[in-house]
Amino acid sequence: MPRKTVIIGGGAAGLGSAGGVKAADPGADVVVYTQFEDVAYSPCGIPYVHGGEIDDFQKLFLAGKQAYVDAGIDVHYETEVTAIDTAAKTVTVTGEGTVSYDNLIIATGFEYADPGVPGGDLDGLYYVKNIRKAMEWDKVIAQTKRAVVVEAGPLGLEMVTALAHRGIETHLIDPNPYALSMMADPDIMAPVEESWRELGVHLHFNTTLEAFLGDDKGQVRAVKTSEGEIPAELVVVATHKTPNNKLAAAAGIKLGSTGGIIVDERMKTSAPDVWAAGDAVEIPHGLAGTPLQGLTGSHAYSQGKTAGTNAGGGDRTYRAVYVPWGTPAGKWVIGGASFGEATATALGIPYVKGEAQGISRARYYPGVQPVRVKLLAEPGTLRLIGAQMIGGGEGIKERADFLAQAIKFGFTLHDLSVMENVYSPAIGALNEPIVVAATNGLENAKKKG
């Protein structure tokens, strides 16, 4: 009799899990429950449809529903799991009753943190997540003249740019002194903020949200802040992602300090035959050891693959992360790996710094773009511990990926200062900015020594 794996959640982690189970055990019975109308689309692409860079929401769907039927994955759409009983190895499903499992994978994703202010029930507050709702909100955006984005996290950055591209008077409010302060350094974000101003965006940092104000029809009309009221017909609430773990908590599954489910390197939870993946879990940072939650879709998918493979009887591990990241912001692309100066300072981690301003291709080749690289290394050993970058777009993602691996495998500034690099006028400059930054870091280390 085939073993049955139940998966709660149809996002990247859930569908990655389903694929992992089937790869390890092709005959397994795999059932996926999702509250939404669809699975396996890219919610990360939603802001780019709103901004006009992508012309159709349908392009965000990775596969049709029949593909999952053909793969032997039984997806139950618009279906809610209301309870988990780890002792009985069952889940309670609305409309289906009690459903048994041999293995369970929790991939329940995230919720936006409650802003915790009056007016949260007003119409006109947009939480970017579900693609079907995004299609309807896009019609609202088309009629909007003034909008406010609450908090300058990754989604907030994307939505600020998207709304500005639509010609909407856009305001960004954030309690921190600069955008993306939980990840990026202020010097990296300064050009981004200037490019937003060039687009007409109004930036309100060190500003606290106090209330959403509505009219007599229950529609938002303004946002009240510590600096005064900002009129708005639309508010994008982009508060930080929190793990959606009510089911896990009620089932007695152990949670960590972030609220994420604690898992081992096989994505196994504290409960027997229960795995978890994606935004619902927390993973240790490879260097600092601090728990991280709410990473990217690629992390969620890889975690899901690991959970599914092991649930299916295979053997796969997922280890501590070094978090390569990157995103367009204004007219720039920013990125990095591990952490930057602000985080290192907050954690009390000493560092040596090397910086360089370079270019993406030969200076005479059309389309050349600036690339600024900043590297952090451990004093003494000069082992790389962090990196941040900003540029016109070319090569930021690839450098972030490479530098995360360099951190993971212990590369030093000495290694990077003599590394080989591609030189071709159309795709790469003679002097690779990473090499120059590492060389400058060595000089700084000598001065400090």
Side-chain angles (χ1 to χ4, degrees):
M1 185 174 179
R3 291 179 61 79
K4 181 177 182 180
T5 297
V6 168
I7 300 170
I8 309 174
L15 269 294
S17 296
V21 174
K22 296 297 282 187
D25 181 5
D29 183 5
V30 178
V31 181
V32 178
Y33 291 102
T34 176
Q35 296 182 53
F36 301 118
E37 303 93 332
D38 309 282
V39 295
Y41 60 86
S42 175
C44 300
I46 290 173
Y48 300 99
V49 184
H50 288 325
E53 291 86 358
I54 300 172
D55 61 7
D56 192 336
F57 281 102
Q58 295 300 323
K59 293 182 177 179
L60 303 187
F61 288 94
L62 307 180
K65 293 183 178 181
Q66 186 60 41
Y68 302 104
V69 175
D70 296 343
I73 298 170
D74 182 14
V75 182
H76 294 225
Y77 301 93
E78 299 182 81
T79 305
E80 183 179 8
V81 176
T82 58
I84 299 168
D85 186 333
T86 59
K89 298 185 72 171
T90 63
V91 294
T92 303
V93 183
T94 301
E96 297 184 21
T98 301
V99 176
S100 63
Y101 65 81
D102 294 301
N103 301 300
L104 175 67
I105 300 174
I106 302 172
T108 43
F110 76 94
E111 300 288 352
Y112 289 105
D114 185 349
V117 299
D121 57 348
L122 291 170
D123 293 332
L125 305 186
Y126 179 22
Y127 294 81
V128 181
K129 188 175 183 182
N130 178 273
I131 194 168
R132 297 293 169 179
K133 290 184 178 179
M135 293 175 183
E136 296 304 312
W137 278 106
D138 200 62
K139 299 172 186 176
V140 175
I141 291 171
Q143 304 299 318
T144 297
K145 295 181 179 179
R146 294 171 298 187
V148 171
V149 177
V150 177
E151 293 195 14
L155 175 70
L157 265 65
E158 294 168 346
M159 286 302 298
V160 165
T161 304
L163 295 172
H165 283 171
R166 292 284 284 265
I168 296 168
E169 179 187 314
T170 304
H171 294 254
L172 170 65
I173 64 169
D174 191 279
N176 298 295
Y178 63 94
L180 205 65
S181 61
M182 76 296 292
M183 295 171 63
D185 292 336
D187 57 320
I188 295 295
M189 297 308 301
V192 173
E193 292 170 10
E194 183 57 34
S195 73
W196 279 335
R197 293 186 183 97
E198 292 171 3
L199 287 169
V201 177
H202 302 267
L203 304 178
H204 308 269
F205 294 115
N206 296 308
T207 301
T208 304
L209 174 68
E210 295 184 348
F212 301 114
L213 305 178
D215 60 20
D216 55 7
K217 296 180 180 179
Q219 172 70 32
V220 69
R221 63 170 180 80
V223 172
K224 183 182 178 183
T225 78
S226 57
E227 300 299 319
E229 291 185 15
I230 304 171
E233 303 135 50
L234 169 72
V235 178
V236 177
V237 183
T239 49
H240 69 276
K241 298 194 294 186
T242 61
N244 178 14
N245 277 335
K246 295 183 182 67
L247 285 175
I253 295 170
K254 290 184 180 178
L255 307 183
S257 59
T258 69
I261 298 170
I262 296 174
V263 293
D264 64 15
E265 63 179 12
R266 293 168 57 82
M267 307 308 294
K268 187 79 167 50
T269 74
S270 61
D273 301 312
V274 180
W275 287 259
D279 288 321
V281 308
E282 65 177 38
I283 300 292
H285 187 285
L287 288 181
T290 53
L292 302 175
Q293 178 273 327
L295 300 176
T296 69
S298 60
H299 291 96
Y301 183 76
S302 182
Q303 291 168 15
K305 277 288 191 186
T306 301
T309 298
N310 293 318
D315 185 16
R316 182 167 173 153
T317 59
Y318 186 88
R319 305 196 177 179
V321 294
Y322 297 83
V323 203
W325 63 273
T327 185
K331 70 178 183 181
W332 301 97
V333 174
I334 55 176
S338 189
F339 46 72
E341 288 188 84
T343 299
T345 300
L347 293 174
I349 298 173
Y351 59 87
V352 172
K353 180 171 65 174
E355 299 179 84
Q357 182 68 54
I359 50 178
S360 62
R361 52 177 76 173
R363 59 177 175 75
Y364 51 78
Y365 199 91
V368 62
Q369 298 175 345
V371 178
R372 181 176 169 230
V373 173
K374 177 166 57 173
L375 305 177
L376 305 184
E378 183 179 63
T381 67
L382 298 184
R383 177 185 173 186
L384 189 67
I385 60 173
Q388 296 206 347
M389 294 163 286
I390 183 169
E394 291 185 332
I396 298 297
K397 181 261 186 206
E398 292 79 6
R399 287 182 177 89
D401 288 342
F402 164 72
L403 289 168
Q405 288 295 96
I407 295 167
K408 180 176 182 178
F409 289 103
F411 285 25
T412 68
L413 293 183
H414 293 288
D415 297 323
L416 296 178
S417 72
V418 295
M419 80 177 205
E420 297 179 272
N421 64 275
V422 171
Y423 169 55
S424 175
I427 61 173
L430 182 63
N431 292 313
E432 163 55 44
I434 291 175
V435 173
V436 180
T439 303
N440 290 340
L442 291 175
E443 289 299 316
N444 289 337
K446 288 179 182 178
K447 292 175 185 177
K448 288 187 175 181

